[in-house]
């Protein structure tokens, strides 16, 4: 186990480059199962979750090579692949469920252990299952595994999602590309990562229309898809993390390879907080010359404010001038972060889906524990705005979602190190 050691009262200044999106690359790796041969992904982030997904694909018979220095992943998929995913790998990685659709579409069966991942609240598979069943699959949960089979193959269907779930949209879309007939997904997720996955599938030979809108139409094709060379869309959550880090530390940070158009609402909130936002040819720049002003935020599916940036806006409000309310509509467990932030002297009160934050001039360093990827990163950033030293345990969470997080902070002028941690109590 490792922890971050953060020296407080830092100001971030400089440039940081953003790699491909975690929430896209893992699904793209799963989508490679739909084609025999070698698929190459570029702009792959150097994060633990990519390693976990590579190991998972290896157990299915693939040969995966990840080159962290080059930012590439090559996935060689054989003519015959396995359909069972081992629990020991799946429990580490929520995105492992993304192999369900490709395996069912290609093999006619799949056994995937119920996934693990972050502690941010319930994330059921009901919509995944309902969509696959509408396409002719038989799905049930047995001994901790999702067991799905479609011996006669999948067929097109009209699928209505109760909520624009990213995971359900991806599962149904990837299962539908080899199904007979046309599948229509209504109330589909609209995230840029959905558009990225659809773009790669189309390049592989799939027929998909409407990705990025609430209605996606997939017409199944005969035979397998073909392997491709694809560049992963930049990570908007990492871009947003650095943007809020600049505001929290009253810094000046240029985020290269960041797409401002994927962060319109978060950047608008930062502007209202007093930040100066400049859109550049290869990214954008965030400058905060004074103490931020508090801003209210409500998390919603894209293009709303991302739940993955909720911890960062709470951290900013914690050192802002005034009071604000943050409403979490997606994952109830996200406010676990707020409890840790109060150990740094933040004034945060939570009630159900709401958190009320009253800003203080300065936080104070203390030992805290990360409960998930974004909470861990936000606690490190909050530590930069604190007086004294902050220790953030369970650093492995942050390693799952950010490439060389401590190194990038040091290059921006912060004093942040990663060290062994012998503490006995951790979040899972």
């Amino acid at each position: 186990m490792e922890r971050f050691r953060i020296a407080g009262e830092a100001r971030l200044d400089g440039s940081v480059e953003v790699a491909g999106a975690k929430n896209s690359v893992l699904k793209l790796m799963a989508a490679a199962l739909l084609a025999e041969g070698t698929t190459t992904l570029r702009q792959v982030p150097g994060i633990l979750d990519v390693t976990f997904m590579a190991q998972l694909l290896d157990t299915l018979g693939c040969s995966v090579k990840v080159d962290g220095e080059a930012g590439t992943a090559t996935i060689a998929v054989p003519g015959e692949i396995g359909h069972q995913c081992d629990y020991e790998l799946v429990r580490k990685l929520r995105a492992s469920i993304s192999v369900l659709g490709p395996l069912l579409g290609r093999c006619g069966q799949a056994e995937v252990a119920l996934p693990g991942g972050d502690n941010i609240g319930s994330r059921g598979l009901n919509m995944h299952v309902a969509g696959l069943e509408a396409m002719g699959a038989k799905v049930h949960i047995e001994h901790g595994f999702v067991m799905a089979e479609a011996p006669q193959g999948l067929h097109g269907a009209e699928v209505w999602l109760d909520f624009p779930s990213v995971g359900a949209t991806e599962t149904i879309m990837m299962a539908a590309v080899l199904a007979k007939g046309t599948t229509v997904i209504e109330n589909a997720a609209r995230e840029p990562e959905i558009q990225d996955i659809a773009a790669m599938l189309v390049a592989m030979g799939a027929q998909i229309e409407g990705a990025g809108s609430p209605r996606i139409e997939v017409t199944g094709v005969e035979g397998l898809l073909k392997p491709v060379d694809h560049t992963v869309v930049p990570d908007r959550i990492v871009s947003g993390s650095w943007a809020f880090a600049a505001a929290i530390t009253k810094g000046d940070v240029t985020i290269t390879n960041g797409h401002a158009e994927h962060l319109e609402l978060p950047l608008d909130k930062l502007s209202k907080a007093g930040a100066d936002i400049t859109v550049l040819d290869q990214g954008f720049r965030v400058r905060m010359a004074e103490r931020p002003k508090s801003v209210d935020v409500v998390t919603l599916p894209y293009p709303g404010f991302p739940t993955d940036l909720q911890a960062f806006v709470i951290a900013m409000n914690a050192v802002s001038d005034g009071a604000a309310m943050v409403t979490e509509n997606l994952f109830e467990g996200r406010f676990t972060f707020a409890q840790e932030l109060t150990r740094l002297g933040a004034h945060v009160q939570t009630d159900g889906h709401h958190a009320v934050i009253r800003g203080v001039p300065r936080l104070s360093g203390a030992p805290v524990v990360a409960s998930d990827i974004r909470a861990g990163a936000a606690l490190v950033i909050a530590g930069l705005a604190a007086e004294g030293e902050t220790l953030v345990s369970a650093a492995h969470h942050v390693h799952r979602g950010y490439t060389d997080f401590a190194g990038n902070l040091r290059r921006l002028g912060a004093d942040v190190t990663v060290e062994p941690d012998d503490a006995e109590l951790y979040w899972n």
Side-chain angles (χ1 to χ4, degrees):
M1 303 299 291
E2 293 180 325
R3 66 185 180 188
F4 292 97
R5 183 180 293 273
I6 305 107
E9 300 181 273
R11 178 181 182 272
L12 300 185
D13 191 333
S15 177
V16 62
E17 185 173 1
V18 176
K22 165 188 175 291
N23 291 334
S24 185
V25 67
L26 304 176
K27 324 303 175 62
L28 297 173
M29 293 173 74
L33 293 168
L34 293 163
E36 181 181 352
T38 300
T39 289
T40 300
L41 300 178
R42 303 188 186 277
Q43 203 165 267
V44 173
I47 58 176
L48 272 179
D49 274 11
V50 168
T51 301
F52 293 151
M53 181 59 83
Q55 293 172 350
L56 180 62
L57 295 181
D58 281 338
T59 67
L60 296 173
C62 303
S63 176
V64 184
K65 295 181 180 179
V66 179
D67 186 333
E69 190 172 330
T72 60
T74 55
I75 306 156
V77 182
E80 297 291 332
I81 60 174
H83 65 275
Q84 296 176 314
C85 297
D86 181 73
Y87 169 73
E88 288 305 315
L89 282 173
V90 170
R91 72 182 181 90
K92 301 177 183 178
L93 183 66
R94 177 73 192 182
S96 58
I97 198 63
S98 60
V99 302
L100 180 61
L103 289 180
L104 189 58
R106 178 169 173 178
C107 304
Q109 57 183 329
E111 297 179 20
V112 182
L114 289 170
D118 285 335
N119 289 327
I120 59 173
S122 60
R123 297 197 279 188
L125 300 178
N126 292 349
M127 286 183 283
H128 298 68
V129 172
L132 295 175
E133 288 180 338
M135 297 167 67
K138 296 180 180 180
V139 186
H140 63 282
I141 308 297
E142 184 176 303
H143 303 303
F145 278 77
V146 180
M147 316 283 284
E149 58 180 357
Q152 305 303 315
L154 298 172
H155 58 73
E158 187 165 339
V159 179
W160 286 80
L161 299 180
D162 293 334
F163 175 86
S165 161
V166 172
T169 300
E170 293 164 345
T171 291
I172 297 164
M173 184 169 65
M174 288 193 284
V177 296
L178 299 182
K180 298 176 182 177
T182 298
T183 298
V184 176
I185 308 171
E186 297 282 5
N187 197 27
R190 300 163 57 188
E191 276 75 358
E193 295 80 17
I194 294 287
Q195 299 175 53
D196 192 34
I197 296 163
M200 181 171 126
L201 289 170
V202 168
M204 294 170 72
Q207 297 183 23
I208 302 173
E209 296 181 354
S213 78
R215 186 179 193 273
I216 297 177
E217 186 172 305
V218 185
T219 302
V221 298
E222 293 185 8
L224 295 179
L225 303 183
K226 63 179 185 296
V228 294
D229 189 313
H230 179 82
T231 300
V232 184
V233 67
D235 197 315
R236 64 193 170 94
I237 303 303
V238 173
S239 296
S241 301
W242 291 121
F244 277 97
I248 290 167
T249 63
K250 291 186 282 189
D252 183 350
V253 178
T254 297
I255 296 101
T256 61
N257 201 35
H259 287 191
E261 65 271 22
H262 293 166
L263 290 166
E264 290 185 356
L265 188 51
L267 293 181
D268 178 68
K269 292 294 182 181
L270 281 168
S271 180
K272 286 181 168 60
D276 180 18
I277 313 293
T278 306
V279 178
L280 309 170
D281 290 341
Q282 300 298 322
F284 58 96
R285 181 182 181 185
V286 179
R287 288 174 287 178
M288 181 69 83
E290 56 189 11
R291 185 182 177 190
K293 304 179 186 69
S294 293
V295 291
D296 295 331
V297 162
V298 177
T299 66
L300 288 169
Y302 188 85
F305 193 94
T307 181
D308 279 349
L309 291 178
Q310 179 243 84
F312 297 92
V313 76
I314 289 180
M316 184 184 74
N317 280 329
V319 295
S320 293
D321 183 12
M325 177 180 288
V326 173
T327 302
E328 174 56 55
N329 286 314
L330 302 179
F331 298 120
E332 67 276 11
R334 290 281 193 197
F335 283 157
T336 302
F337 159 81
Q339 299 169 14
E340 291 297 297
L341 192 63
T342 60
R343 290 181 53 80
L344 300 181
H347 291 178
V348 185
Q349 290 183 315
T350 60
D351 182 9
H353 292 277
H354 307 288
V356 175
I357 308 99
R358 299 186 183 279
V360 297
R362 180 171 294 164
L363 301 174
S364 58
V368 291
V369 183
S371 57
D372 64 71
I373 296 171
R374 311 307 170 187
L379 285 170
V380 172
I381 299 302
L384 296 175
E387 184 177 23
E389 187 174 77
T390 297
L391 300 174
V392 180
S393 293
H396 65 282
H397 285 298
V398 180
H399 300 332
R400 287 183 47 222
Y402 292 84
T403 302
D404 193 17
F405 191 58
N408 279 316
L409 285 169
R410 287 193 295 272
R411 284 185 281 275
L412 292 172
D415 182 358
V416 178
T417 55
V418 179
E419 62 185 27
D421 189 1
D422 57 2
E424 296 179 357
L425 179 62
Y426 292 98
W427 294 93
N428 291 328

